Amino acid sequence: METSLIITGGEAPDKRPPFSYGRVIACDSGYDTARRLLIPVDDVVGDLDSTSFRSEILEKGFHACPHDKDESDTELGLMRLALPCRYDLVGGGGGRVDHLMALFQLFRRYGMPRFWFTRSDLMISVDGERRFHLPVDTSISFFTIDHDAVVECREMVWPLEHFILDETHISLSNRNTREDFVVKARGRVFARIDAGCFENAPEDIII
């Protein structure tokens, strides 16, 4: 299954993801981020009220949708993909809390991104088992978008054994005791690490 990239508004990293994508969709001011990171886009969606390049986008033949709409710009981007699909997300950091909460609702409806890159965070989806390679003592948190999930990782300062995650419980700021470790999850779980770890490309973080 090919991977697509959604670039949305909000705080984004200073470097582009190190992967190739079958399709790239920019959502409104996500176009500004794509432009800054030199990422060619295949499609632009949204009402174009946040981008600094509205005229340029329209000149390229893309169309603005009405400002009054039921869907967020990010949802419009996801709706352009053939679901189920595998996708990464750039942007969405900082900004309004309601926008952040809306993103989590989209993850529940459309599926989680494989990687989610923001300026301060790198979120990695874990559904089943993933092997990580990170410097010892890296801060790592686990949370779920489901009503409940279970995560296991013994190579932690506070070992996680059948640790239940839900709307009221996350595993916050734990630390790995080995460079190579395994995370197992039942349910849709994000592992959050600092975006500075992105200096090591995700293909090095995930074994």
Side-chain angles (χ1 to χ4, degrees), residues 65-91:
C65 70
H67 179 73
D68 295 325
K69 60 188 187 305
D70 293 329
E71 303 84 5
S72 68
D73 293 332
T74 305
E75 183 170 8
L76 290 176
L78 288 168
M79 290 170 66
R80 295 290 176 93
L81 301 180
L83 299 174
C85 67
R86 186 171 65 181
Y87 73 99
D88 292 350
L89 178 66
V90 166

Side-chain angles (χ1 to χ4, degrees), residues 10-181:
E11 294 182 356
D14 293 325
K15 59 184 294 187
R16 58 192 291 172
F19 306 114
S20 58
Y21 295 100
R23 191 175 185 194
V24 178
I25 301 175
C27 307
D28 208 322
S29 60
Y31 182 84
D32 303 40
T33 297
R35 207 172 181 273
R36 174 172 60 84
L37 298 179
L38 303 178
I39 302 175
V41 302
D42 301 299
D43 200 357
V44 181
V45 298
D47 51 22
L48 308 184
D49 66 340
S50 301
T51 178
S52 300
F53 300 97
R54 179 184 174 91
S55 297
E56 178 177 303
I57 292 169
L58 295 176
E59 287 173 3
K60 289 186 174 183
F62 301 111
H63 302 284
C65 70
H67 179 73
D68 295 325
K69 60 188 187 305
D70 293 329
E71 303 84 5
S72 68
D73 293 332
T74 305
E75 183 170 8
L76 290 176
L78 288 168
M79 290 170 66
R80 295 290 176 93
L81 301 180
L83 299 174
C85 67
R86 186 171 65 181
Y87 73 99
D88 292 350
L89 178 66
V90 166
R96 289 169 43 176
V97 173
D98 55 342
H99 286 179
L100 180 64
M101 295 176 68
L103 275 179
F104 284 109
Q105 294 298 328
L106 292 182
F107 298 157
R108 293 185 178 100
R109 290 158 58 191
Y110 294 91
M112 294 169 61
R114 182 184 60 160
F115 292 103
W116 178 13
F117 304 92
T118 76
R119 181 172 298 172
S120 59
D121 307 285
L122 170 57
M123 268 73 67
I124 303 161
S125 67
V126 182
D127 187 357
E129 178 177 308
R130 281 197 184 275
R131 297 179 179 270
F132 287 73
H133 179 80
L134 289 168
V136 170
D137 222 33
T138 296
S139 178
I140 180 167
S141 299
F142 299 99
F143 61 95
T144 184
I145 64 170
D146 288 332
H147 294 298
D148 60 79
V150 175
V151 63
E152 293 187 10
C153 186
R154 293 179 174 85
E155 298 88 358
M156 292 280 149
V157 172
W158 297 279
L160 301 175
E161 297 186 23
H162 200 77
F163 188 89
I164 297 175
L165 304 170
D166 56 28
E167 296 98 329
T168 59
H169 294 88
I170 68 172
S171 173
L172 182 65
S173 300
N174 210 331
R175 304 191 305 276
N176 55 305
T177 57
R178 296 176 54 187
E179 285 190 346
D180 298 313
F181 59 97

